[in-house]
Amino acid sequence: QLQLAESGGGLVQPGGSLTLSCAGSKLTRDDYAWGWFRQAPGKEREGVSCISGNGGSTEYTDSVKGRFTISRDIAKNTVYLQMSDLKPEDTAVYYCAATPIMFRVCVLRTSQFEYWGQGAPVTVSE
């Protein structure tokens, strides 16, 4: 089981920006796909963004398009989620995930991601 380490969560005002990081382990391979999911209080976990194993394709849920950007640094074995123009409805615990499948195209489906981080709380409020 891969152990993923998240960081960068915190409190931010509406309209602000925040970047989350997720570090893989020594077992994480360059061709793994990565995803970001979030779960707000009282709601089910939803997909936010993902990047394919070859890095050539990304996907975003409609509510974050134009505001969030997913990226990865292969040399550092780290994936990032840059969030801008944050809204109160973005408040949630954000989870990073990885999978050895989805090399060319990724999909935001929780069942396809086997390895998960512990979650980084993000609160958007005055």
Side-chain angles (χ1 to χ4, degrees), residues 5-118:
E6 296 159 294
S7 62
L11 175 65
V12 63
Q13 293 182 318
S17 300
L18 198 65
T19 298
L20 302 178
S21 301
C22 180
S25 72
K26 62 180 180 180
L27 300 178
T28 307
R29 302 180 64 172
D30 292 347
D31 58 352
Y32 275 35
W34 292 84
W36 286 97
F37 299 79
R38 67 185 181 185
Q39 187 166 18
K43 298 182 179 180
E44 296 184 353
R45 187 172 300 184
E46 66 171 345
V48 177
S49 182
C50 63
I51 184 169
S52 62
N54 66 1
S57 298
T58 58
E59 296 291 337
Y60 299 90
T61 190
D62 287 343
S63 63
V64 308
K65 287 182 178 178
R67 301 189 298 118
F68 289 14
T69 301
I70 189 171
S71 62
R72 66 175 187 173
D73 188 326
I74 296 178
K76 297 181 179 179
N77 195 19
T78 302
V79 65
Y80 305 93
L81 184 66
Q82 184 177 352
M83 304 180 291
S84 300
D85 191 24
L86 284 162
K87 305 175 180 180
E89 49 264 44
D90 294 318
T91 296
V93 177
Y94 284 71
Y95 300 88
C96 66
T99 177
I101 61 176
M102 296 190 290
F103 179 71
R104 294 177 175 81
V105 179
C106 70
V107 293
L108 289 169
R109 189 160 57 240
T110 57
S111 61
Q112 297 300 110
F113 290 83
E114 184 174 358
Y115 309 108
W116 295 81
Q118 292 184 290

